Amino acid sequence: MAHTDPTVTDRTFDIGRIRELFPILAQRVGDKPLAYLDNAATTQKPRPVLEALSRYYASENANIHRGVYALSQRATDAYEGARGKVARFLNAAEPAEIIFTRNATEGINLVAQTFGRQQVGDGDEVVISTMEHHSNIVPWQMLCEEKGARLRVVPLTDSGELMLDELASLLGPRTKLLSIVHMSNSLGTINPVRRVVELAHAQGVPVLVDGSQAAYHMPVDVQALGCDFYVVTGHKLYGPTGIGALYGRRELLDAMPPYQGGGDMISSVTFERTTYNEVPHKFEAGTPHIAGAIGLGAAVDFIAGVGFDAITAHERPLLQYATAALETVPGLRLIGTASDKASILSFVLDGVHAHDIGTIVDTEGVAIRTGHHCTQPVMERFGVPATARASLAMYSTTMEIDQLVAALTKVREVFG
Ligand SMILES: *Cc1c(COP(=O)(O)O)cnc(C)c1O
């Protein structure tokens, strides 16, 4: 994937220069510098994304498709151009395999409500894992309830890895879909998706991958993974909120019924009969989030410009640094210690509720998330009500980790 971005011309990673591209990071919380360590919930936005949004509204705004005048054509080109950028970013075979959605959650619901309702029947099964985000649990629960199908769940090891043997044994002739997260948002575990896809395809089972976390930490190549569907969410890709993308293999998308009815998804309408537009438009009813898509296009170009080699070369040692630093805090236990993990540090502190950790470190300028992280079954699996979670991004620094550890020392002082 050889993209270039004019804002990041030299490929050597300069953390100071990277941080300057994210204006929000320079602010202070009270008299403390902001240490933003909640990237797994949402990432900050770099100037090229902010500029793409304001440029669009200042000079290109018009409704897309069907407009014959120049401005509408420019807006259409920018929107469809963004689709091409996302297709390249995920290495889809063609832009038509990219459907713009509101977020990852909508991508999963789209598949559940179209492919799922068409394919899953009474007595069938859908397989997910214990480490799924609620967004990759509830849509399947709803579908299974409607269809009289059964949701099967792959268990986890004590370090937070998928039990692959169990996964293989859950797949069978009744399995209509396997839906699995690429990288866990509460454990950091990176799942061996390629291997999982092989196991599933050997049984004729299509695979949806939730790439909400993976896509901003590592290169994703949907063709190399071999998956059938892949969802991403713009706001975690350094892009805008309210925009996401669903990748689907063309032949599956072609065979799927539409999701919502309305404008743009039709080819003709009479009261007797409506015929549907082709993919991807068949799945994009109504005026889409045009600016969001353009912002997402700028975001994936920005990421590709920085390069995943540089990003992982920065984030991987930082995770090691943070892991070692947190392990020095008395009474701290990390949840999620998979051998293959990235950029997420979930932990509990003896005798302190996660919520209190979050509140006290906030007074030191440190933004971390506390709670169940929309993965309640993970909390249950590890026997904790909640965790505190620090999560890294390309602009995270050892100084921010030090600030977190110092703040945790304060927490220890308060709670004795
Ligand atoms: C954030 C996240 C989601 C949901 O993303 P939305 O943008 O809220 O749709 C789903 N799965 C994982 C693993 C996530 O991290």
Side-chain angles (χ1 to χ4, degrees):
M1 291 191 286
H3 312 261
T4 48
D5 184 305
T7 57
V8 189
T9 43
D10 107 46
R11 307 275 301 187
T12 56
F13 191 83
D14 175 344
I15 185 69
R17 265 183 75 205
I18 291 287
R19 288 182 70 85
E20 278 169 17
L21 292 171
F22 292 85
I24 205 171
L25 297 176
Q27 70 185 265
R28 301 176 81 80
V29 182
D31 59 345
K32 307 286 192 321
L34 166 67
Y36 184 76
L37 294 171
D38 194 19
N39 294 288
T42 201
T43 51
Q44 302 302 346
K45 319 306 172 198
R47 290 188 198 280
V49 170
L50 304 176
E51 284 158 12
L53 292 171
S54 81
R55 189 170 55 240
Y56 168 72
Y57 280 126
S59 62
E60 289 174 342
N61 178 56
N63 210 333
I64 55 167
H65 302 142
R66 298 174 308 273
V68 294
Y69 55 92
L71 200 55
S72 170
Q73 292 193 348
R74 268 172 61 205
T76 303
D77 288 349
Y79 180 77
E80 291 303 330
R83 192 190 308 280
K85 290 173 184 203
V86 175
R88 234 183 316 151
F89 183 71
L90 298 176
N91 197 32
E94 53 173 321
E97 292 183 326
I98 301 297
I99 316 295
F100 282 123
T101 60
R102 280 187 299 139
N103 45 40
T105 304
E106 192 182 45
I108 296 169
N109 277 280
L110 190 159
V111 176
Q113 293 301 313
T114 59
F115 180 87
R117 289 180 87 182
Q118 192 179 54
Q119 300 291 325
V120 176
D122 191 35
D124 286 338
E125 298 182 347
V126 174
V127 177
I128 60 170
S129 88
T130 304
M131 72 171 87
E132 300 313 315
H133 189 283
H134 295 165
S135 294
N136 197 26
I137 301 175
V138 182
W140 308 116
Q141 261 173 344
M142 291 165 69
L143 176 70
C144 287
E145 199 162 304
E146 178 188 324
K147 296 292 185 171
R150 186 168 168 213
L151 193 62
R152 311 292 307 267
V153 184
V154 181
L156 306 183
T157 67
D158 290 342
S159 62
E161 293 174 349
L162 284 180
M163 290 185 172
L164 278 186
D165 292 349
E166 303 277 340
L167 183 149
S169 72
L170 284 176
L171 301 169
R174 294 201 165 283
T175 318
K176 290 297 185 282
L177 185 78
L178 168 65
S179 192
I180 196 102
V181 72
H182 195 167
M183 172 181 158
S184 158
N185 66 303
S186 53
L187 300 167
T189 309
I190 299 169
N191 286 321
V193 167
R194 213 184 142 156
R195 177 82 192 113
V196 167
V197 169
E198 276 168 15
L199 289 169
H201 283 183
Q203 303 282 330
V205 176
V207 181
L208 184 153
V209 181
D210 173 1
S212 304
Q213 289 298 325
Y216 68 104
H217 294 299
M218 66 194 79
V220 172
D221 179 335
V222 291
Q223 295 187 73
L225 291 173
C227 58
D228 301 279
F229 301 103
Y230 196 98
V231 297
V232 296
T233 194
H235 66 98
K236 293 181 188 174
L237 282 163
Y238 307 101
T241 54
I243 187 77
L246 162 69
Y247 157 81
R249 278 201 301 112
R250 179 71 189 251
E251 56 185 288
L252 292 177
L253 295 178
D254 279 339
M256 279 153 58
Y259 178 42
Q260 295 173 329
D264 247 20
M265 54 73 71
I266 56 93
S267 106
S268 80
V269 176
T270 66
F271 286 116
E272 287 69 45
R273 183 180 150 76
T274 291
T275 55
Y276 303 124
N277 206 335
E278 310 223 298
V279 296
H281 311 293
K282 180 170 77 175
F283 297 106
E284 294 179 1
T287 301
H289 187 4
I290 305 168
I294 291 168
L296 178 56
V300 297
D301 267 5
F302 170 76
I303 296 172
V306 176
F308 277 113
D309 288 352
I311 291 171
T312 53
H314 175 70
E315 288 186 18
R316 211 172 280 163
L318 194 59
L319 177 68
Q320 283 169 2
Y321 179 91
T323 304
L326 286 179
E327 280 170 345
T328 66
V329 177
L332 185 146
R333 178 163 67 101
L334 283 168
I335 307 283
T337 50
S339 59
D340 197 6
K341 69 173 278 191
S343 302
I344 302 243
L345 300 120
S346 259
F347 58 92
V348 291
L349 262 187
D350 266 354
V352 190
H353 194 276
H355 186 76
D356 294 328
I357 303 175
T359 307
I360 296 171
V361 304
D362 175 53
T363 64
E364 300 295 310
V366 180
I368 59 172
R369 189 147 295 247
T370 58
H372 53 61
H373 320 294
C374 295
T375 57
Q376 282 186 341
V378 171
M379 301 299 119
E380 198 182 325
R381 165 64 180 81
F382 288 93
V384 294
T387 72
R389 180 189 69 187
S391 50
L392 313 173
M394 67 163 82
Y395 42 67
S396 303
T397 64
T398 52
M399 264 169 59
E400 290 174 318
I401 303 299
D402 295 347
Q403 197 176 332
L404 167 65
V405 172
L408 290 174
T409 309
K410 275 237 161 144
V411 175
R412 277 270 70 116
E413 281 163 21
V414 173
F415 285 86

